[in-house]
Amino acid sequence: MRLNYPLCLFTATIYMAFLLFTNIDAKSSVFGAESSVLRNGMRVVVVSNHRVPIASHMVWYNVGSADEGLGESGIAHFLEHLMFKGTKSYPSGQISEIVARNGGNQNAFTSYDYTAYYQNIPVEKLPKMMELEADRMQNLVLLRSDVDTERQVVLEERRMRVDSQPSSILSERLNFSLWGTNHYSIPVIGWREEIEKLSYEQIFNFYNRWYTPSNATLVVVGDITFNSVVPMAEKYYGKIKFDKNFIPRSRSSFLLQSSDIRVTMRDEKVRQPRWQRTYIAPSVNIGSLSDVYSLQVLSEILGSSSISRLYQSLVVNDSLATSIYSGYLDAAVSWGRFVIYASPSPGVSISELETKIDEQLNLIVNEGVTEEEVEVSKMRLKSEIIYAKDSPMQVAQTIGSLLSVGMSLEDIESWPNRISEVRVDQVNEIARRIFTESASATGILLPKGDD
Amino acid sequence: MACLIKIKILFFISIILLPASLSALEVVEVKSPGGIKAYLSEDHSNPLIALSIQFRGGSSSDSTRKIGISQMVSGLLDEGAGEFDSFSFRSKLENLSIRLSFDSSVDFFSGQMETLTENAEEAFNLLSLSLKSPRFDAEPIERIRRQILVSILRESESPNRIASKVMFSKLFPEHPYGFPRNGTKKTINNITREDLVNFVNTRFAKDRLIIGVAGDITPEELEKVLDKTFGFLPDTLSSDWLKESVKPKFFGTVVIDKDIPQSTLYLAKEGISRNNKDWYAALLANHIFGGGSFTSRLMKEVRVKNGLAYSVSSALFPFVASDLLVASAGTRNTSAKKSLEIIIDEWSKFGASGPTDFEVQEAKKYLKGSWPLRFTSTQSIARTLVSIQRDNLGINYIKLRNNYIDSVNLQDIRRVAKDLYDINKLSIVVVGKPEGIENKEYDG
């Protein structure tokens, strides 16, 4: 029962994007995933990995915090917590007990664009997990007292992740200003005042509206085959009724007039200043896919490694920062984002740091990156695929998140070929667009009394 | 995309899967001509090799004036070695996708390496160089020093890190376990290049080295590479890495005032040694009490029934020179007192009567069933092979481990719980503005 807080989501996805962008053999697919669709519209995706007799079983719903109604922030995540409470067949916490009794580790997470539930289990327990997950897709039972108790748990989670951490509070403010009318302006966990007021009926309506087979994807990775999983999926998930009234989500890509936003926060708990900037960027759904691949290469060159331009200039040569990195989040239903985080060296002012970062960005805008940088980065991204395929959990997570935001399995599997096609002029063009035309928000966190 | 049309036929297809076993995971001991040993789990399904190493002796072996030097060396070994300066060393790692890193804990100095098979030779060579002839050039030394100083500042922002630091310093006031593992501004600034060079010469030796390897490499290949990589190390060293064992000191309740809406609670007392014959009984007991993430007694009482915390758990920490049992929770300031009372109440109930037979059966099922989940990545297999050797568990441990769990009975667990969950020596640290919890430090 955790949630993909923007920052966590960001790191996870950056990592997997890295991994996805590559392959040794240009012809083969990345994961060798096989898929089909049940008659009720539920998608099934299977990847075999026979090293140990385990399986990662995940169900992904195409709904996240950005699908919440006005004043209902936090409802997607709150519901995710309540999904562990029980059903008619397995009331009062029995789901967790059954998963544990079967040697399983389970959890769930909520993001802007998806909500996912998973069990990692000894492979022979797969049918039981499917039975449980299919059951709670349609038969959730909520007691009003459960909702009230769990609300306190969610608020406690918010206190831990956000309210006690100045850097999280800053990120909330920054996103709110940057995204404006876009739903990404609202934190996944929700505003405290709204979490406090969410009603039993609102939560249940949300559940009824979104938790339905044609809005879900089953991903199974492990010591199984497509042919063994499909009949199992048919038996447990296939019997759930198709909801003919279901309307898939639609999101606006509307953005307010582009602007540069700056948020400065001072807090007495802060001992070490921080600097961050987010640019609104294309995603797998907005803009062309070649922009997405070019941005991945750009991020790799700019700040994704210890030999990147930002690290070498700011941290190694000028000693202005102790850490700096850039990342690109492409897995989004609406816009993506390109981010840069930095931590100044002791005694270095934030403005000195920022001037130098801007200098590096301008250098790319004006002079571009080199052919060699592009080729080396592509090669580097390429070999990461071997790591990406190593753990079943990682594979399930990568495939599930990208499918949930609307990428096709074909596109996921053919990323290595597409990354090979990235050219230096494309990288330079997208760099110019992002760093000179995109809306951005710069956040500065300072100790109290600093300027 | 293939659609499912022949639904009816599917009913005849058996969907029963056979029970899992870890028989595919064979572990062999490899011994090089030069006498260097490693555990290996061979697996050629993915062209990837993972290696994990540990040297006995971690931050608790650092000299008092230079505490944090283990951490600093771990940050510097992959910042230039032999003929390669920092940039060319890092470029080689990045461009060949070799993952190499070092770390230190209180008791061990460890390293991890992962590489694609095709770059294995270069990877082992870089690993060897980093241990044999790290350059310790001025630029990386000052850079890593700055990074550690900043990380010390950041730690002082985190309620969890504050609580744990205070807890260790109070439990082990006279012992290196009580000192800050990453050092202080003063000790980090004390460290010179000479100290770093000296560290490498006085802390790494064959008789302190433990090696675990997994993935796409044969025993014959590994034999050769072991000598090439580690053969230069001295057989033994005169200095002693092992610290005298120490009992955690009871210190009462310490409240650290911090203006945040949530209180972080830590409760600690003496734990149990990994080599104690009752280890598995203790493991089961703690799983039932606070280790099982969704099903433990603490989780049910504090979170599920009362909604007082998001995270609440307990864990056993068997260190080399001491052992701890620690519970922790994050709870709003206004109900910190109530949460603490519930945890203490559960603690004493568990000490007095132990778990029920049903709880024990359930815990056994979970711990046995989830064992294969430990082996889902090449790196996690290599890591486990190191701990198996470190704790002297035997080469067949992966297969035998579930029998050890099975052989524990209810009486064992109750006997162990009585001692382990004795409420009298429980020390408490609270960070936040907890209402109704007073500082009551005991310094007798």
Side-chain angles (χ1 to χ4, degrees):
Chain A
M1 288 180 234
R2 63 201 157 90
L3 90 173
N4 269 0
Y5 194 64
L7 208 65
C8 310
L9 164 72
F10 160 76
T11 3
T13 319
I14 291 305
Y15 178 64
M16 68 182 83
F18 240 95
L19 305 174
L20 272 172
F21 259 96
T22 59
N23 201 342
I24 302 296
D25 174 4
K27 278 175 201 140
S28 72
S29 64
V30 179
F31 299 107
E34 293 172 87
S35 90
S36 76
V37 178
L38 305 181
R39 280 184 310 169
N40 58 18
M42 186 165 176
R43 178 165 45 180
V44 180
V45 180
V46 179
V47 177
S48 300
N49 176 327
H50 300 293
R51 176 163 52 206
V52 272
I54 60 110
S56 187
H57 170 249
M58 303 191 85
V59 171
W60 296 74
Y61 294 97
N62 301 335
V63 63
S65 65
D67 299 301
E68 294 162 343
L70 205 64
E72 292 189 338
S73 69
I75 201 166
H77 171 250
F78 197 162
L79 171 62
E80 177 231 295
H81 273 238
L82 293 168
M83 286 288 283
F84 290 80
K85 289 298 177 190
T87 65
K88 283 170 211 143
S89 320
Y90 301 107
S92 56
Q94 278 189 40
I95 296 171
S96 297
E97 283 163 19
I98 293 169
V99 174
R101 189 178 301 146
N102 284 286
N105 289 335
Q106 62 162 0
N107 217 321
F109 49 90
T110 307
S111 162
Y112 293 115
D113 295 325
Y114 47 73
T115 311
Y117 299 80
Y118 70 87
Q119 300 87 28
N120 299 321
I121 32 136
V123 67
E124 77 273 12
K125 310 296 187 186
L126 188 54
K128 188 72 196 174
M129 298 305 116
M130 286 196 181
E131 184 199 332
L132 292 176
E133 207 57 81
D135 183 36
R136 70 175 164 181
M137 189 187 298
Q138 52 186 341
N139 300 321
L140 181 66
V141 172
L142 283 185
L143 305 176
R144 282 174 194 273
S145 59
D146 280 344
V147 175
D148 290 332
T149 311
E150 200 60 29
R151 189 194 312 277
Q152 297 310 315
V153 174
V154 172
L155 289 168
E156 217 56 74
E157 185 178 356
R158 199 191 137 84
R159 277 184 201 101
M160 187 183 84
R161 290 184 194 273
V162 185
D163 304 333
S164 300
Q165 307 207 18
S167 59
S168 304
I169 297 172
L170 174 69
S171 289
E172 275 192 353
R173 296 300 301 267
L174 207 63
N175 282 326
F176 190 70
S177 308
L178 175 67
W179 292 102
T181 53
N182 188 295
H183 280 63
Y184 291 161
S185 63
I186 296 171
V188 175
I189 199 164
W191 303 117
R192 183 166 56 85
E193 288 71 10
E194 294 182 7
I195 301 170
E196 280 168 352
K197 282 183 202 140
L198 288 172
S199 73
Y200 176 92
E201 284 73 21
Q202 280 174 305
I203 295 169
F204 224 93
N205 288 340
F206 192 87
Y207 170 71
N208 286 330
R209 162 87 175 82
W210 297 107
Y211 282 51
T212 186
S214 61
N215 198 41
T217 301
L218 168 69
V219 181
V220 184
V221 182
D223 190 14
I224 36 75
T225 61
F226 182 65
N227 289 334
S228 65
V229 170
V230 167
M232 225 185 277
E234 190 63 44
K235 176 173 171 185
Y236 295 105
Y237 293 103
K239 67 180 179 200
I240 304 171
K241 244 182 93 192
F242 172 66
D243 178 2
K244 62 179 189 312
N245 298 319
F246 176 73
I247 306 160
R249 63 182 167 193
S250 73
R251 293 259 195 89
S252 154
S253 60
F254 172 75
L255 291 174
L256 297 175
Q257 176 83 32
S258 149
S259 60
D260 297 336
I261 287 147
R262 177 171 292 268
V263 177
T264 303
M265 196 177 120
R266 289 181 182 79
D267 190 295
E268 60 180 10
K269 291 185 286 295
V270 175
R271 300 276 178 280
Q272 168 60 28
R274 259 157 276 196
W275 182 95
Q276 66 182 87
R277 182 181 291 162
T278 305
Y279 292 94
I280 295 181
S283 72
V284 297
N285 286 298
I286 296 182
S288 76
L289 275 179
S290 72
D291 286 345
V292 168
Y293 306 126
S294 305
L295 275 165
Q296 286 294 347
V297 173
L298 175 66
S299 175
E300 180 68 23
I301 295 170
L302 185 67
S304 296
S305 78
S306 60
I307 56 168
S308 66
R309 284 183 171 219
L310 287 178
Y311 189 88
Q312 283 296 319
S313 67
L314 275 288
V315 181
V316 177
N317 294 333
D318 296 336
S319 314
L320 292 177
T322 57
S323 67
I324 187 162
Y325 66 94
S326 70
Y328 167 50
L329 177 95
D330 57 1
V333 170
S334 181
W335 291 87
R337 59 189 81 191
F338 193 97
V339 299
I340 304 172
Y341 288 85
S343 190
S345 293
V348 171
S349 76
I350 286 281
S351 62
E352 204 179 338
L353 177 78
E354 184 170 325
T355 306
K356 191 72 190 179
I357 294 171
D358 281 333
E359 223 176 277
Q360 284 296 315
L361 301 182
N362 288 334
L363 195 68
I364 288 195
V365 169
N366 296 328
E367 294 173 28
V369 299
T370 67
E371 180 96 44
E372 195 199 338
E373 284 178 307
V374 171
E375 290 313 311
V376 169
S377 298
K378 278 158 64 174
M379 211 177 62
R380 213 156 56 210
L381 291 167
K382 224 148 137 182
S383 26
E384 292 286 332
I385 190 64
I386 305 293
Y387 294 109
K389 288 158 67 161
D390 195 45
S391 142
M393 291 82 190
Q394 180 67 50
V395 172
Q397 168 84 32
T398 304
I399 293 181
S401 60
L402 287 168
L403 287 174
S404 304
V405 300
M407 202 170 186
S408 74
L409 197 54
E410 241 184 336
D411 280 336
I412 296 172
E413 294 279 18
S414 69
W415 269 25
N417 304 343
R418 304 293 303 273
I419 198 80
S420 303
E421 294 162 11
V422 173
R423 297 186 320 266
V424 64
D425 59 297
Q426 293 174 312
V427 177
N428 290 334
E429 166 57 19
I430 195 74
R432 190 194 57 74
R433 263 166 50 205
I434 293 293
F435 299 139
T436 65
E437 291 169 12
S438 276
S440 74
T442 305
I444 293 164
L445 186 62
L446 295 170
K448 206 144 204 163
D450 267 35
D451 29 59
Chain B
M1 285 186 194
C3 277
L4 292 177
I5 331 161
K6 300 176 182 171
I7 301 301
K8 278 180 189 166
I9 297 176
L10 295 176
F11 286 103
F12 297 101
I13 298 174
S14 159
I15 54 169
I16 297 163
L17 296 167
L18 293 170
S21 84
L22 276 167
S23 56
L25 209 77
E26 283 295 334
V27 181
V28 295
E29 185 180 85
V30 172
K31 194 171 175 185
S32 73
I36 298 167
K37 286 192 294 189
Y39 276 10
L40 166 67
S41 168
E42 212 179 328
D43 169 24
H44 303 284
S45 60
N46 202 13
L48 185 72
I49 301 167
L51 168 140
S52 181
I53 56 170
Q54 277 188 350
F55 288 101
R56 296 178 198 277
S59 65
S60 61
S61 305
D62 295 354
S63 89
T64 318
R65 286 191 57 249
K66 317 263 180 183
I67 290 176
I69 189 169
S70 292
Q71 194 64 26
M72 192 156 169
V73 169
S74 76
L76 280 164
L77 292 187
D78 57 357
E79 286 288 347
E83 61 193 286
F84 308 114
D85 68 4
S86 170
F87 184 73
S88 45
F89 195 88
R90 301 293 320 169
S91 299
K92 273 183 167 289
L93 294 177
E94 300 278 3
N95 292 338
L96 295 172
S97 294
I98 296 166
R99 299 177 176 181
L100 176 67
S101 66
F102 297 91
D103 199 4
S104 81
S105 65
V106 284
D107 292 323
F108 300 97
F109 188 95
S110 56
Q112 299 82 38
M113 186 198 81
E114 262 186 297
T115 178
L116 312 185
T117 314
E118 59 177 11
N119 298 328
E121 199 183 331
E122 189 73 40
F124 279 104
N125 183 36
L126 291 172
L127 166 64
S128 183
L129 269 185
S130 66
L131 292 168
K132 186 181 174 185
S133 42
R135 289 165 65 106
F136 296 125
D137 288 336
E139 183 278 316
I141 290 181
E142 294 317 312
R143 171 158 48 94
I144 301 297
R145 195 195 305 278
R146 278 195 304 275
Q147 288 175 345
I148 293 178
L149 293 175
V150 163
S151 78
I152 293 171
L153 282 176
R154 282 202 172 192
E155 274 178 21
S156 67
E157 295 174 359
S158 150
N160 265 299
R161 299 307 280 268
I162 297 169
S164 128
K165 214 163 172 175
V166 169
M167 181 184 81
F168 274 92
S169 72
K170 302 277 178 192
L171 289 170
F172 304 109
E174 314 283 331
H175 190 275
Y177 282 0
F179 306 157
R181 190 162 66 85
N182 293 344
T184 62
K185 191 173 173 183
K186 190 156 174 250
T187 65
I188 293 299
N189 280 327
N190 268 341
I191 297 169
T192 64
R193 180 173 190 279
E194 201 187 333
D195 295 326
L196 300 166
V197 173
N198 190 43
F199 182 100
V200 172
N201 294 332
T202 55
R203 300 281 288 265
F204 301 154
K206 284 179 193 158
D207 66 349
R208 297 179 181 191
L209 173 63
I210 308 159
I211 307 168
V213 181
D216 191 16
I217 186 168
T218 66
E220 295 70 32
E221 289 165 337
L222 182 58
E223 259 179 40
K224 286 186 204 128
V225 103
L226 284 177
D227 278 340
K228 261 180 90 177
T229 311
F230 304 108
F232 71 90
L233 287 169
D235 292 333
T236 187
L237 292 165
S238 54
S239 61
D240 196 9
W241 68 275
L242 190 63
K243 294 290 156 190
E244 234 172 276
S245 57
V246 56
K247 294 247 179 230
K249 182 177 174 263
F250 169 72
F251 63 80
T253 301
V254 170
V255 178
I256 307 289
D257 185 77
K258 189 109 170 138
D259 190 16
I260 37 179
Q262 193 176 59
S263 295
T264 298
L265 314 176
Y266 271 61
L267 301 87
K269 67 171 287 296
E270 188 177 12
I272 183 169
S273 155
R274 180 63 184 83
N275 292 316
N276 190 307
K277 64 173 176 41
D278 284 324
W279 169 259
Y280 296 97
L283 188 70
L284 282 157
N286 185 63
H287 178 83
I288 294 162
F289 180 68
S293 55
F294 281 82
T295 51
S296 72
R297 286 192 179 188
L298 285 185
M299 193 62 152
K300 283 181 184 160
E301 291 301 319
V302 179
R303 174 168 162 162
V304 180
K305 277 193 201 156
N306 290 291
L308 290 169
Y310 170 69
S311 69
V312 54
S313 64
S314 68
L316 295 164
F317 293 95
F319 297 110
V320 170
S322 195
D323 305 294
L324 291 181
L325 168 63
V326 181
S328 63
T331 184
R332 54 194 172 274
N333 288 331
T334 47
S335 44
K337 184 162 182 265
K338 189 176 170 197
S339 296
L340 189 60
E341 281 167 359
I342 292 177
I343 295 173
I344 290 175
D345 186 44
E346 286 302 312
W347 195 295
S348 54
K349 269 197 272 180
F350 198 68
S353 26
T356 65
D357 187 44
F358 179 74
E359 284 175 315
V360 171
Q361 296 315 320
E362 293 281 288
K364 282 185 174 183
K365 282 179 193 162
Y366 169 77
L367 288 173
K368 289 193 298 175
S370 62
W371 182 232
L373 297 174
R374 186 77 77 85
F375 308 99
T376 49
S377 77
T378 311
Q379 186 64 63
S380 67
I381 296 171
R383 252 198 326 265
T384 305
L385 295 183
V386 167
S387 16
I388 288 173
Q389 296 173 81
R390 186 190 63 209
D391 298 330
N392 286 317
L393 302 173
I395 195 150
N396 293 318
Y397 181 71
I398 294 176
K399 280 172 195 149
L400 295 176
R401 185 264 197 184
N402 279 356
N403 299 348
Y404 302 148
I405 301 276
D406 258 337
S407 66
V408 180
N409 63 42
L410 179 63
Q411 279 65 43
D412 295 332
I413 302 176
R414 288 197 171 148
R415 173 176 51 79
V416 170
K418 205 173 197 72
D419 202 33
L420 196 56
Y421 292 87
D422 175 2
I423 200 77
N424 291 313
K425 294 285 172 190
L426 194 58
S427 299
I428 298 163
V429 176
V430 187
V431 176
K433 285 210 175 293
E435 287 179 18
I437 302 178
E438 304 290 322
N439 201 78
K440 254 191 290 176
E441 202 167 342
Y442 170 88
D443 45 1

